[in-house]
Amino acid sequence: MKKDDLVTIKIEDMSAEGSGIGKVDGYTLFVKDAVIGDVVEAKIMKMKKNYGFARLMQIREASPDRVDPRCPIARQCGGCQIQAMAYEAQLKFKERLIENHLRRIGGFEEIPMEPIVGMEEPYRYRNKAQFPIGQDREGNLIAGFYAGRTHSIISVDDCLLGVEENKEILQEVLDFMKEEGISAYDENTGKGLVRHVLIRYGFFTQEIMVCVVINGKKLPRAQKLVEQLRKIRGMTSITVNINEERTNVILGECVELLWGQRYITDTIGGISYQISPLSFYQVNPRQTEKLYRLALEYAGLTGKETVWDLYCGIGTISLFLAQKAKQVYGVEIVPDAVKDAKNNAKRNGIENAEFYVGKAEEVLPEKYEKEGVKADVIVVDPPRKGCDERLLDTIVKMQPEKVVYVSCDSATLARDLKWLCERGYEVKRVRGVDQFGQTVHVETVALLSKKA
């Protein structure tokens, strides 16, 4: 075989990135957009010693799990990797992905897996969308998403994962820019004004936030845009975010209010949260409530426990736990998030939660070594890279009865669970929660207990 050859492949498995995996004469090929059970014709694009990559050219025999994607640009857009797979099959894939990581990376043989928690409706679930603004080849203003692995914008006026209100908001912004002659930002030149439109939606309050990200100090004739956006039902907050850096980072640090409030509110499990343009807040609130209830169930709190919640963000899990714990301490590196967490505790009348600014891998060891703090339960919800080894070492030294690990990457979860289980802990329960239908991403909750 060589590059540009056409081959026929039976897809036997899928990668963590959502590509179909098959073999030709023992040689492994990864085929984007192929589904387990497909027989496809593919063109070899790139070859390495033990594996290669191929482009799907034709489906010879469709998998029983293949469905027609509801989105017409699902293959071009980088957002939905597995929309061509039936939802029940998506759940099985994600459950198997977690289990495979625990076996292959963690070295676990007996895994106490529980059935994955799926969604009632795996579309229209995102409460946040960030649309880059640009131009097409004819120079027309467009909003959309980046094509997979690129920074080329594909025009999308209605993403099926987002709320329906997004479409009307985007149209108002684009119409305003056309009428007022306001330019879109060009990543290649660093010129142009409007970079992104950030939209947040409160699923339980129906409050809407619009934040226009600009490459400049001011949005000209902004009040005209405000007057149009205010007509949309639920509009609560209209802001601009100033980002003049030549960077791929979407938001700058400065937010200026154009109209309404600086935040919207939403609730998860009866706890009310303030959400600003810069706040981290789970994008799927309905599934987040299930995720947090599961973490709370795994923690098994009786009202007597001291709990440390590490990587606590704006206090979402902390405040959930505080309802059942004696005392909760949250740690988060982002100062604004800690400020939000303290405000959220206050607005909900929760007095048994305290928050610290700093890196979890620095704050907890320092508190333990200098103040001798203790914990009955430690909850971690780290970023994709997982926990720092110094933090894991401190957890082992503190000897909590239980560790509840909430993970957005089951590969780093498996690595960290292995580390803890080699030092006196054992995995008692593991369960996936699908927060991101049509994509390969999945959350996992694991319960570890001290070995007797």
Side-chain angles (χ1 to χ4, degrees), residues 2 13 57 208 259 305 318 393 399 433:
K2 61 184 183 300
D13 202 352
M57 304 301 289
I208 298 172
W259 176 85
E305 294 85 3
S318 302
D393 185 53
Q399 290 286 290
V433 179

Side-chain angles (χ1 to χ4, degrees), residues 172-180 182 220-221 225:
E172 290 291 356
V173 173
L174 292 176
D175 287 349
F176 162 74
M177 289 177 65
K178 290 171 189 170
E179 289 165 9
E180 299 300 328
I182 293 172
R221 296 170 290 285
L225 176 62

Side-chain angles (χ1 to χ4, degrees), residues 188-204:
N188 296 319
T189 65
K191 306 293 184 183
L193 186 63
V194 177
R195 300 174 72 129
H196 280 79
V197 176
L198 163 67
I199 304 169
R200 289 183 181 266
Y201 180 81
F203 265 64
F204 298 97

Side-chain angles (χ1 to χ4, degrees), residues 203-331:
F203 265 64
F204 298 97
T205 61
Q206 281 80 56
E207 294 178 2
I208 298 172
M209 168 187 291
V210 176
C211 179
V212 182
V213 184
I214 58 173
N215 175 42
K217 297 288 192 293
K218 187 179 179 183
L219 180 64
R221 296 170 290 285
Q223 285 309 307
K224 180 177 178 181
L225 176 62
V226 166
E227 290 307 312
Q228 290 304 114
L229 292 176
R230 282 180 60 182
K231 296 174 185 176
I232 297 172
R233 185 179 177 186
M235 191 60 62
T236 305
S237 172
I238 305 173
T239 59
V240 292
N241 175 271
I242 297 168
N243 181 3
E244 297 180 279
E245 301 293 322
R246 290 288 295 269
T247 174
N248 290 338
V249 176
I250 293 173
L251 293 171
E253 294 181 4
C254 179
V255 177
E256 294 187 358
L257 182 67
L258 294 179
W259 176 85
Q261 301 174 171
R262 289 184 174 273
Y263 58 85
I264 60 171
T265 58
D266 206 11
T267 62
I268 299 176
I271 303 288
S272 175
Y273 299 95
Q274 282 188 2
I275 309 152
S276 70
L278 299 173
S279 294
F280 172 80
Y281 188 71
Q282 292 278 9
V283 300
N284 185 339
R286 293 193 176 104
Q287 289 299 100
T288 295
E289 181 169 345
K290 296 176 187 177
L291 179 73
Y292 290 177
R293 289 202 184 282
L294 191 58
L296 187 60
E297 177 190 328
Y298 279 18
L301 302 176
T302 64
K304 300 176 182 178
E305 294 85 3
T306 296
V307 181
W308 280 81
D309 176 21
L310 309 176
Y311 312 96
C312 71
I314 63 169
T316 44
I317 293 182
S318 302
L319 301 184
F320 232 72
L321 297 167
Q323 297 174 97
K324 299 283 187 180
K326 178 183 176 183
Q327 181 69 39
V328 175
Y329 299 99
V331 182

Side-chain angles (χ1 to χ4, degrees), residues 260-425:
Q261 301 174 171
R262 289 184 174 273
Y263 58 85
I264 60 171
T265 58
D266 206 11
T267 62
I268 299 176
I271 303 288
S272 175
Y273 299 95
Q274 282 188 2
I275 309 152
S276 70
L278 299 173
S279 294
F280 172 80
Y281 188 71
Q282 292 278 9
V283 300
N284 185 339
R286 293 193 176 104
Q287 289 299 100
T288 295
E289 181 169 345
K290 296 176 187 177
L291 179 73
Y292 290 177
R293 289 202 184 282
L294 191 58
L296 187 60
E297 177 190 328
Y298 279 18
L301 302 176
T302 64
K304 300 176 182 178
E305 294 85 3
T306 296
V307 181
W308 280 81
D309 176 21
L310 309 176
Y311 312 96
C312 71
I314 63 169
T316 44
I317 293 182
S318 302
L319 301 184
F320 232 72
L321 297 167
Q323 297 174 97
K324 299 283 187 180
K326 178 183 176 183
Q327 181 69 39
V328 175
Y329 299 99
V331 182
E332 170 58 47
I333 191 172
V334 181
D336 283 347
V338 171
K339 185 179 177 183
D340 285 342
K342 290 176 178 178
N343 288 336
N344 287 327
K346 190 174 180 180
R347 68 183 284 110
N348 288 283
I350 293 173
E351 298 179 348
N352 61 333
E354 292 183 33
F355 299 94
Y356 299 98
V357 177
K359 293 181 179 178
E361 58 268 25
E362 293 175 0
V363 172
L364 190 66
E366 186 176 317
K367 289 282 180 186
Y368 171 71
E369 290 159 12
K370 293 184 178 178
E371 301 176 25
V373 298
K374 292 181 167 42
D376 301 297
V377 178
I378 291 178
V379 177
V380 294
D381 185 7
R384 196 163 292 281
K385 67 179 182 178
C387 292
D388 184 276
E389 197 168 293
R390 187 183 175 201
L391 176 63
L392 294 175
D393 185 53
T394 304
I395 290 172
V396 170
K397 287 176 181 174
M398 288 178 72
Q399 290 286 290
E401 286 297 322
K402 295 175 182 175
V403 177
V404 178
Y405 196 130
V406 180
S407 170
C408 61
D409 187 328
S410 54
T412 54
L413 168 72
R415 178 201 68 200
D416 291 350
L417 294 190
K418 180 181 181 182
W419 203 97
L420 290 167
C421 289
E422 288 172 346
R423 292 161 178 81
Y425 283 84

